[in-house]
Amino acid sequence: MNIQATANHERISTCPADCENTIIRTLLKLGIPANTKGFHYIKIALMYGVESPIALTSMSKIIYPAIANYYYSVSASSIERAIRYAIAQSTQRGDSELISQIFGYTDSLKYYNPTNREFLAVVSEYIREMHSNSSSVQHYVSA
């Protein structure tokens, strides 16, 4: 039996490993199921978003094709749909305190699903802020 790999294993971003771990932990806390395709697509999109926030301004021309190039035989529309489904799961299953902290929602949490672009932009800014705070703390402690 010959099994072919379906993913290109080259590094897709210069996001450091600790940044990738922060993205994964944040997505899990937000309630995005790790066993969905959308989880992996969002992780890659956030790696791009943390690295270059301007990339998130053109989802259909930059982000979706980049993810489609990383995973073989995946269309941009299926990537968009998987991300949208994962975000919908997040609002139903996620830590409501963290979602409120990141997005600023209070009562309408269960009734409002952010768009893919909004979700990725806000979460990437949150992760970027976390890393800027942690690196400044580490620098301060080491000095």
Side-chain angles (χ1 to χ4, degrees):
M1 177 189 259
N2 186 6
I3 300 174
Q4 293 181 339
T6 59
N8 183 354
H9 294 290
E10 296 176 16
R11 188 99 174 130
I12 56 161
S13 150
T14 58
C15 183
D18 62 332
C19 177
E20 186 174 354
N21 291 336
T22 303
I23 290 171
I24 292 169
R25 281 193 313 272
T26 304
L27 291 178
L28 292 173
K29 286 180 186 176
L30 285 172
I32 296 180
N35 64 338
T36 61
K37 293 177 186 177
F39 177 88
H40 301 287
Y41 298 159
I42 290 172
K43 180 180 78 167
I44 293 170
L46 285 174
M47 290 168 72
Y48 281 117
V50 167
E51 191 176 293
S52 172
I54 198 72
L56 295 175
T57 61
S58 183
M59 299 290 289
S60 60
K61 292 188 179 188
I62 297 174
I63 299 296
Y64 298 149
I67 295 171
N69 286 336
Y70 184 71
Y71 290 98
Y72 297 123
S73 69
V74 177
S75 69
S77 64
S78 67
I79 291 169
E80 187 270 334
R81 186 174 52 247
I83 289 175
R84 189 174 62 239
Y85 173 76
I87 291 170
Q89 291 294 308
S90 169
T91 59
Q92 299 300 315
R93 302 167 38 147
D95 178 6
S96 57
E97 247 181 64
L98 180 64
I99 294 172
S100 294
Q101 177 187 354
I102 293 174
F103 291 95
Y105 304 154
T106 53
D107 298 333
S108 61
L109 196 69
K110 301 291 183 196
Y111 305 108
Y112 176 71
N113 286 337
T115 63
N116 291 1
R117 182 181 300 175
E118 178 185 3
F119 181 88
L120 293 172
V122 171
V123 174
S124 67
E125 286 298 323
Y126 174 77
I127 291 170
R128 193 175 304 109
E129 180 182 322
M130 286 177 55
H131 272 277
S132 68
N133 291 341
S134 67
S135 49
S136 65
V137 169
Q138 289 173 355
H139 179 70
Y140 178 85
V141 171
S142 64

